[in-house]
Amino acid sequence: MRVVIAEDNALLREGLVLLLTSAGHEVVAVAASGPEVLPALLAHRPDVAVLDVRMPPGFRDEGLRAALAARAEIPGLPVLVLSQYVEETYATELLGDGASGVGYLLKDRVGRVDEFLDALDRVHSGGTALDPEVVAELLARRKDDPIDSLTPREREVLQLMAEGRDNLTIAGQLVITERAVSKHIGNVFLKLGLPPSDSGHRRVLAVLAYLNKRFGA
């Protein structure tokens, strides 16, 4: 796939280029500051963009703003955002833009090469890839939230769903059957008041929409 990388840290930027090219992908452009990002994305229209949240000159949310602007110009542009920390506001803004083809990972996840490349593939295919720590933050609810009614196992299933995992992967990670996973998912939808769906992607979008709504409340 064709990738644009936006990262101000030269060492990480070159590491990403090496990692992606070694995996058979083509890095068509790199950006080292916020103002460079949108022009690079519009000029190259990559298959996926890998963007840092905080970039020069302000080191605030330049990368995220460029990602949102690019998705407005190129609807459905897959974007994988990297961040040093779990920044809840940024995660919410990204999800609020529409969860299709988006990812939000902590930078230390890049060092776990297989996980990073898997996340990149999921985002490229229109799926979601949320860092487990980001999902944990979104699941940290106040009292009387419907999530509080979930059993520990249902919460585990919900977290893996929100990360973009399919039923087979969830079953493998929790060492249960796919039938059991389906049952737990049905209970989660029922308790959260979400419409059921046979589509894995629509299912994740429904969960993320719920979490985003509750998180932004």
Side-chain angles (χ1 to χ4, degrees), residues 161 164-167 170 181 185 189 194 197 199-208:
M161 288 168 60
R165 309 298 179 180
D166 59 26
N167 285 17
I170 294 173
V181 171
I185 290 173
F189 279 131
L194 294 171
S197 169
S199 166
H201 183 48
R202 286 178 59 198
R203 176 186 73 184
V204 171
L205 294 186
V207 171
L208 292 176

Side-chain angles (χ1 to χ4, degrees), residues 48-92:
V48 62
V50 178
L51 309 173
D52 187 9
V53 169
R54 298 184 177 187
M55 299 188 68
F59 292 98
R60 298 177 67 181
D61 59 0
E62 290 83 356
L64 178 69
R65 293 297 163 208
L68 296 175
R71 282 171 68 90
E73 295 284 340
I74 311 172
L77 172 68
V79 173
L80 179 58
V81 171
L82 304 178
S83 179
Q84 190 69 40
Y85 310 102
V86 177
E87 301 181 87
E88 300 163 352
T89 301
Y90 297 150
T92 300

Side-chain angles (χ1 to χ4, degrees), residues 53-166:
V53 169
R54 298 184 177 187
M55 299 188 68
F59 292 98
R60 298 177 67 181
D61 59 0
E62 290 83 356
L64 178 69
R65 293 297 163 208
L68 296 175
R71 282 171 68 90
E73 295 284 340
I74 311 172
L77 172 68
V79 173
L80 179 58
V81 171
L82 304 178
S83 179
Q84 190 69 40
Y85 310 102
V86 177
E87 301 181 87
E88 300 163 352
T89 301
Y90 297 150
T92 300
E93 289 200 51
L94 188 65
L95 296 178
D97 177 54
S100 177
V102 297
Y104 187 105
L105 296 182
L106 296 183
K107 287 187 176 181
D108 64 5
R109 199 70 56 183
V110 176
R112 305 172 190 180
V113 174
D114 290 341
E115 290 185 32
F116 174 73
L117 293 177
D118 176 64
L120 189 73
D121 286 339
R122 276 188 281 140
V123 170
H124 173 241
S125 65
T128 56
L130 288 186
D131 195 284
E133 290 190 36
V134 174
V135 176
E137 290 285 347
L138 293 175
L139 289 175
R141 295 289 144 224
R142 54 182 179 269
K143 286 186 175 182
D144 301 323
D145 192 287
I147 287 181
D148 292 335
S149 67
L150 301 181
T151 67
R153 178 64 84 189
E154 289 165 355
R155 287 178 66 90
E156 289 178 322
V157 170
L158 174 60
Q159 178 155 347
L160 291 170
M161 288 168 60
E163 290 172 25
R165 309 298 179 180
D166 59 26

Side-chain angles (χ1 to χ4, degrees), residues 12 165 210:
L12 179 56
R165 309 298 179 180
Y210 172 82

